[in-house]
Amino acid sequence: MATPLTDQEKRKQISIRGIVGVENVAELKKGFNRHLHFTLVKDRNIATPRDYYFALAHTVRDHLVGRWIRTQQFYYEADPKRVYYLSLEFYMGRTLQNTMINLGLQNACDEAIYQVKGRGTRLHSHRSHNQQPSVHKTHLGLDMEDLEEMEEDAGLGNGGLGRLAACFLDSMATLGLAAYGYGIRYEYGIFNQKIRDGWQVEEADDWLRHGNPWEKARPEYMLPVHFYGRVEETKEGSKWVDTQVVLAMPYDTPIPGYMNNTVNTMRLWSARAPNDFNLRDFNVGDYIQAVLDRNLAENISRVLYPNDNFFEGKELRLKQEYFVVAATLQDIIRRFKTTKKGTAGRTSFESFPDKVAIQLNDTHPAMAIPELMRIFVDIEKLDWDTAWDLTKRTFAYTNHTVLPEALERWPVELLETLLPRHLQIIYQINQNHLDRIAALFPEDMDKLRRMSLIEEDGCKRVNMAHLCIVGSHAVNGVAEIHSNIIKTDVFRDFSELEPEKFQNKTNGITPRRWLLLCNPGLAELIAEVIGEDYVKELSQLEKLNDFVDDAAFIRDVSKVKQDNKLKFAQFLEKEYKVKINPSSIFDVHVKRIHEYKRQVLNCLHIIAMYNRIKKNPNAPFVPRTMIIGGKAAPGYHMAKMIIKLITSVADVVNNDPVVGDKLKVIFLENYRVSLAEKVIPATDLSEQISTAGTEASGTGNMKFMLNGALTIGTMDGANVEMAEEAGEENLFIFGMRVEDVAAMDKKGYDAMVYYNSIPELKQVMDQIKSGFFTTYCQWQICLNDEAVHKNIHSRFIVKKNPKEWTKMVIKNIAATGKFSSDRTITEYATEVWGVEPTDLKIPAPNEPREAIEETARALKKM
């Protein structure tokens, strides 16, 4: 068994949260006071807690700026191949603490804030694993955690897809890739969820109302985006004329890598109306109405569309999708042409795919394919075949869903009105594609129909997934099981035609946010026994297997978990006015509310446990706190009914004196990134119970695993690979496999068979139907999995010996190395984008003076 590090070895290490240096603290204090006075124009007599947050945020950002400028200078000088990650969602959450950690400033900032207008020093972190969070206050009446709580979540995403994009940006910067994230700066992010009388009510997420200290507007790079109009054929080729113009204003956010001086850029576009918008109305005297009409153009970036996994072809959504790709491609081509090499810049596009890699995060940015073709053919005057070759070698596509109803299919009629030239290009792409298929399969008309980009049944539509596959050189799923499904089922014809194009890239999470930030106690404990290198090389966690039987380590892991549970219990009591038993099992199910994610299945089990307690109150029962959270899309009635069922069951269970502390049910209102950072470290049992074959991957499952929760789940998404890594015996796996679901679909499914044959299940369903908990509604759920779900819960209750449980926890943590987003991005880089991680070594600037001197020279290069 490996020997833990000695005290001397530990002292030699630099804390994973950064050294508290006297010079660092003094510099931070000076910056804090400077920004409070000169940026916020406040003194301490009138400054609010939010002012102190902004002063600290600006101070930390100062330490980013030199690295940010130096990084862009370095890319300009070295001219590496650049990676562009196009996504309609970036679910960033909060930025302050993540930035402090990646810059190694966390402990120094803690100490600086403590010393501001204070007396004396405190040269230890109040975030150590062996104590509760400090109650030390500054003489301003605040501590660091209070300031961190002032920050609004940047909720520019619905869930997994947007959060994955955020993790990928962190990993690309940490690995030293010359990478950029491109998306939309939504004025209103994912709605704030309120629960009133058990029902979800949506409120606007006005996340920018206090300003955003992390972004920098770049009006000098504002670009025009065209809509509507008509196509005019000339001798020189096709021209898109008589268009309406909307301006795209870029806002840049720095993305720091972990302890490597790299700071990449996320550029988000905001829609602006041009100054001559509706000038004709000006001329006829309706000046006021013309100004008011500017809102119509600016609505494009007004609000994030909620995701209900059901595609609706709304014009505003298509405008958003084209808006981001049109602005982004102009920006990419500008950067490509203004390379340092050659005083005149590049004039040939021959090397475009050697310098540009564009990753499409699902089909939302798919219009980038015909848009790049339009630029190459109509503007740059390349011939079609050359343009198509360059386009295919540039793009790669990630698929995120196998649900047919979620796949984007835009009506031809809408495209013809909004983007007429692009529809022509799509038709030409499709014609060339079908000509190739017909040559290979001359008599197979059905294959032509299945593989066409244009669906002819009913309303003619463009299948955007087909467009992405045809127009990309690589296509990937996001977990082994998902990638196999898209190859053998959803896109089988395409996979058989070009098998080399299809790959798997199992999703991952960044350990910086999802361990160091949210669970510092566990992060420090791990560092004590295996060192700190695991933060950038998560596979090193496998060394923890050497400590599975170490009594001291088992005790420490258990204590960290219990401390996290106590802290979360205090949070629940404060925010939800519910007192729970911190010694109970925290059984957590947090994700978007959707039928396929099967919150109803969990709810049925809660009712069954309630009935067992009521039937025999004195029987042995391991206390359980059931925690469920997630948002339902505003238009998704069934998902809202599921929330109502859960809250109604909670009302009954939580107020039953017979049940007492044995069982509590909590619905977490307004689940979001910052709330996930609180609940995940406190979780004992993670519910990952989607029907096999419906969840593409999941990343929440990985976050729970890394933070020491055991998983109860189906063999779906990344659960399959988690079981492979940790050993199926260290997860609680239940239910049908993909092949079982397929067999059941073929045979036919009769819920009444299970209803009539399982008395406990029948009782639960009858209670719901009778209105015992709430108004009855019919949910779609696979009842044959419900019986197995209850059985597996009984199994782990029997097995819950604290020591053996913690040993399973350690084995799970040790097996999470594969699920780092660093590993995922390394695979994308080498196998899709053709770039090498860590091939750029960016020197550290002298903060902050030397950086200021470089600013003027560098701005033109960004």
Side-chain angles (χ1 to χ4, degrees):
M1 187 176 76
T3 305
L5 300 175
T6 66
D7 289 341
Q8 186 177 11
E9 288 171 327
K10 292 176 191 174
R11 282 194 295 271
K12 286 181 180 178
Q13 294 183 345
I14 297 174
S15 167
I16 57 178
R17 303 179 75 78
I19 279 181
V20 182
V22 175
E23 290 183 2
N24 278 352
V25 172
E27 183 75 27
L28 290 164
K29 287 169 60 180
K30 183 178 178 182
F32 181 89
N33 286 318
R34 184 179 69 250
H35 281 296
L36 186 62
H37 284 267
F38 294 106
T39 304
L40 298 166
V41 197
K42 292 284 186 77
D43 64 21
R44 291 175 191 158
N45 295 319
I46 60 172
T48 66
R50 193 173 304 280
D51 292 325
Y52 294 128
Y53 156 71
F54 273 97
L56 178 59
H58 284 294
T59 302
V60 172
R61 198 183 81 159
D62 286 349
H63 287 258
L64 275 176
V65 169
R67 293 170 172 87
W68 196 9
I69 292 173
R70 182 69 64 89
T71 299
Q72 304 309 315
Q73 287 178 328
F74 197 81
Y75 293 164
Y76 183 77
E77 301 283 340
D79 193 27
K81 183 173 184 178
R82 291 169 166 89
V83 175
Y84 299 97
Y85 196 83
L86 270 61
S87 179
L88 268 284
E89 299 181 21
F90 286 97
Y91 203 172
M92 303 302 289
R94 293 171 175 168
T95 298
L96 174 61
Q97 193 179 355
N98 188 76
T99 302
M100 292 189 294
I101 287 172
N102 279 12
L103 294 183
L105 290 175
Q106 177 75 76
N107 284 348
C109 285
D110 281 358
E111 181 61 27
I113 290 300
Y114 181 71
Q115 290 185 27
V116 169
K117 204 178 178 182
R119 303 181 184 92
T121 60
R122 179 205 56 190
L123 295 176
H124 64 273
S125 170
H126 69 248
R127 303 169 190 268
S128 173
H129 74 271
N130 57 9
Q131 57 184 295
Q132 283 297 296
S134 170
V135 294
H136 289 303
K137 299 285 182 177
T138 72
H139 287 265
L140 303 172
L142 295 169
D143 69 3
M144 179 61 82
E145 291 191 19
D146 292 332
L147 294 182
E148 290 165 354
E149 286 296 316
M150 297 305 301
E151 184 174 4
E152 299 280 351
D153 277 52
L156 308 185
N158 285 282
L161 180 141
R163 186 53 234 170
L164 179 77
C167 284
F168 279 2
L169 292 184
D170 178 90
S171 286
M172 287 188 276
T174 297
L175 291 169
L177 297 181
Y180 304 76
Y182 276 95
I184 293 180
R185 180 184 179 267
Y186 299 105
E187 189 175 330
Y188 296 92
I190 184 67
F191 61 87
N192 287 321
Q193 179 194 59
K194 301 293 182 183
I195 301 297
R196 294 178 185 154
D197 298 324
W199 294 94
Q200 171 181 292
V201 176
E202 301 87 29
E203 294 183 353
D205 172 35
D206 191 6
W207 72 288
L208 292 169
R209 65 187 178 277
H210 299 295
N212 178 6
W214 304 105
E215 68 181 8
K216 178 68 180 75
R218 302 286 191 191
E220 67 273 22
Y221 293 123
M222 192 141 54
L223 296 167
V225 176
H226 298 260
F227 293 99
Y228 303 107
R230 59 187 177 83
V231 180
E232 191 175 85
E233 300 298 337
T234 68
K235 292 180 180 179
E236 291 77 27
S238 300
K239 289 182 67 176
W240 188 18
V241 298
D242 298 336
T243 59
Q244 293 182 15
V245 175
V246 176
L247 298 178
M249 162 86 92
Y251 287 79
D252 289 354
T253 299
I255 307 293
Y258 179 72
M259 304 294 283
N260 68 348
N261 298 319
T262 298
V263 180
N264 285 338
T265 301
M266 176 178 69
R267 177 162 284 186
L268 303 180
W269 302 100
S270 180
R272 296 285 186 270
N275 288 332
D276 60 351
F277 189 76
N278 273 352
L279 191 60
R280 287 169 298 181
D281 289 339
F282 280 36
N283 293 335
V284 296
D286 198 354
Y287 170 81
I288 299 298
Q289 187 59 47
V291 173
L292 294 177
D293 284 348
R294 291 169 62 90
N295 286 332
L296 298 176
E298 296 175 0
N299 281 341
I300 290 174
S301 58
R302 192 80 68 198
V303 64
L304 169 74
Y305 264 87
N307 181 6
D308 58 4
N309 277 98
F310 187 82
F311 173 69
E312 288 186 282
K314 294 185 181 297
E315 181 175 332
L316 179 59
R317 176 63 170 182
L318 181 56
K319 279 186 175 180
Q320 288 182 339
E321 294 183 358
Y322 178 68
F323 173 76
V324 68
V325 302
T328 298
L329 285 173
Q330 290 179 72
D331 212 34
I332 290 172
I333 289 173
R334 172 193 61 80
R335 194 174 289 115
F336 172 78
K337 285 183 173 181
T338 55
T339 177
K340 182 185 178 186
K341 294 185 178 180
T343 54
R346 290 191 181 95
T347 57
S348 169
F349 284 90
E350 183 180 350
S351 63
F352 192 78
D354 300 321
K355 290 296 181 182
V356 174
I358 302 176
Q359 188 70 37
L360 304 176
N361 192 26
D362 216 344
T363 57
H364 310 139
M367 289 305 296
I369 293 172
E371 172 66 3
L372 187 57
M373 285 296 293
R374 185 187 71 83
I375 293 170
F376 281 160
V377 174
D378 293 358
I379 299 173
E380 302 297 340
K381 304 303 180 184
L382 302 183
D383 66 87
W384 178 276
D385 290 342
T386 299
W388 183 241
D389 175 66
L390 295 174
T391 297
K392 284 190 66 173
R393 289 164 52 203
T394 298
F395 285 107
Y397 159 57
T398 300
N399 173 271
H400 282 278
T401 183
V402 297
L403 300 177
E405 64 271 20
L407 294 173
E408 289 191 304
R409 296 173 166 90
W410 286 108
V412 164
E413 185 178 12
L414 176 58
L415 281 167
E416 193 168 26
T417 301
L418 193 65
L419 301 167
R421 177 57 181 145
H422 298 76
L423 181 61
Q424 288 184 347
I425 291 169
I426 291 170
Y427 276 143
Q428 186 61 55
I429 293 170
N430 191 46
Q431 186 61 57
N432 295 349
H433 165 63
L434 292 181
D435 287 346
R436 181 188 175 204
I437 304 302
L440 293 170
F441 308 96
E443 303 299 325
D444 197 340
M445 294 301 295
D446 197 44
K447 184 180 284 288
L448 283 174
R449 179 187 59 79
R450 292 196 307 268
M451 297 184 72
S452 176
L453 275 56
I454 310 297
E455 297 179 350
E456 302 279 355
D457 52 315
C459 168
K460 284 179 69 172
R461 294 158 298 183
V462 178
N463 186 310
M464 303 307 282
H466 290 187
L467 174 62
C468 286
I469 294 170
V470 172
S472 299
H473 70 274
V475 176
N476 71 277
V478 291
E480 284 285 357
I481 186 173
H482 169 236
S483 297
N484 289 335
I485 289 172
I486 67 174
K487 285 191 288 188
T488 60
D489 184 6
V490 182
F491 303 129
R492 179 177 176 178
D493 290 315
F494 293 93
S495 176
E496 290 175 346
L497 181 66
E498 297 178 292
E500 72 286 349
K501 180 182 283 192
F502 286 77
Q503 305 181 19
N504 175 61
K505 297 288 174 280
T506 299
N507 282 345
I509 59 173
T510 169
R512 273 72 64 182
R513 181 177 292 269
W514 296 111
L515 186 58
L516 269 68
L517 184 154
C518 72
N519 201 344
L522 183 59
E524 295 281 1
L525 177 60
I526 293 170
E528 286 178 10
V529 296
I530 68 170
E532 300 168 5
D533 291 345
Y534 77 89
V535 178
K536 294 182 75 170
E537 193 177 334
L538 203 62
S539 60
Q540 292 198 20
L541 288 179
E542 64 186 6
K543 296 177 183 177
L544 293 178
N545 285 316
D546 293 336
F547 299 93
V548 169
D549 296 310
D550 184 296
F553 188 64
I554 292 171
R555 182 187 65 245
D556 288 345
V557 170
S558 181
K559 185 178 186 308
V560 167
K561 178 62 71 174
Q562 192 58 35
D563 288 347
N564 290 335
K565 291 174 69 175
L566 283 166
K567 184 177 180 181
F568 189 67
Q570 292 167 2
F571 170 79
L572 285 180
E573 187 172 4
K574 178 183 177 183
E575 298 296 327
Y576 292 84
K577 308 297 185 267
V578 175
K579 194 165 185 176
I580 61 172
N581 177 7
S583 299
S584 64
I585 296 174
F586 284 14
D587 185 329
V588 178
H589 194 180
V590 285
K591 49 187 76 239
R592 281 188 302 111
I593 307 297
H594 199 286
E595 287 159 282
Y596 87 84
K597 293 179 183 289
R598 300 207 292 189
Q599 285 90 355
V600 174
L601 179 63
N602 195 9
C603 201
L604 297 184
H605 179 240
I606 293 170
I607 297 170
M609 288 190 292
Y610 170 74
N611 289 337
R612 291 174 194 171
I613 296 171
K614 294 285 286 183
K615 184 177 180 180
N616 191 353
N618 297 319
F621 187 87
V622 177
R624 192 87 59 90
T625 300
M626 307 298 295
I627 300 171
I628 302 175
K631 296 177 180 179
Y636 190 178
H637 176 70
M638 189 60 71
K640 288 187 167 183
M641 289 296 297
I642 291 171
I643 292 175
K644 177 59 177 172
L645 174 63
I646 295 166
T647 56
S648 298
V649 170
D651 285 343
V652 172
V653 172
N654 296 343
N655 293 295
D656 194 319
V658 174
V659 175
D661 281 344
K662 291 180 180 179
L663 182 65
K664 291 291 183 185
V665 182
I666 310 294
F667 186 86
L668 287 180
E669 182 182 80
N670 202 33
Y671 184 64
R672 58 202 183 279
V673 173
S674 58
L675 188 49
E677 292 164 4
K678 294 179 174 65
V679 67
I680 288 173
T683 299
D684 291 305
L685 191 67
S686 161
E687 299 268 355
Q688 307 295 332
I689 59 176
S690 54
T691 306
T694 59
E695 187 74 83
S697 170
T699 53
N701 45 6
M702 303 168 188
K703 294 161 193 168
F704 283 107
M705 187 183 190
L706 179 60
N707 282 274
L710 300 185
T711 301
I712 178 167
T714 52
M715 279 298 202
D716 194 28
N719 293 355
V720 177
E721 291 160 76
M722 288 163 53
E724 290 172 354
E725 295 295 308
E728 194 169 330
E729 69 278 7
N730 292 309
L731 285 76
F732 303 109
I733 299 296
F734 76 95
M736 297 182 291
R737 271 48 172 181
V738 171
E739 56 272 19
D740 299 324
V741 175
M744 184 190 71
D745 288 343
K746 188 174 182 180
K747 179 182 177 182
Y749 166 63
D750 185 359
M752 295 305 293
V753 171
Y754 305 97
Y755 171 80
N756 290 319
S757 61
I758 306 172
E760 191 174 33
L761 179 60
K762 185 177 188 299
Q763 180 189 5
V764 170
M765 299 303 292
D766 288 347
Q767 285 173 303
I768 295 173
K769 186 174 181 179
S770 69
F772 183 85
F773 296 103
T774 184
T775 304
Y776 171 67
C777 184
Q778 184 176 357
W779 290 275
Q780 293 184 359
I781 189 161
C782 208
L783 294 183
N784 56 346
D785 264 6
E786 161 61 7
V788 188
H789 186 239
K790 283 192 236 173
N791 180 59
I792 203 77
H793 268 282
S794 300
R795 179 182 130 211
F796 84 72
I797 290 171
V798 170
K799 289 179 67 175
K800 193 178 185 306
N801 172 294
K803 184 175 179 180
E804 294 303 313
W805 181 279
T806 305
K807 285 184 177 183
M808 290 175 66
V809 166
I810 295 169
K811 290 176 183 177
N812 271 265
I813 297 171
T816 54
K818 176 179 181 178
F819 304 109
S820 168
S821 51
D822 296 349
R823 186 269 315 154
T824 312
I825 289 300
T826 298
E827 292 180 2
Y828 274 109
T830 56
E831 299 169 17
V832 178
W833 303 329
V835 297
E836 288 295 325
T838 65
D839 58 352
L840 297 177
K841 304 297 182 185
I842 298 170
N846 294 326
E847 289 283 3
R849 288 181 296 274
E850 190 175 288
I852 295 172
E853 295 170 2
E854 296 173 348
T855 301
R857 298 194 303 270
L859 283 176
K860 293 181 181 179
K861 303 173 183 179
M862 296 181 73

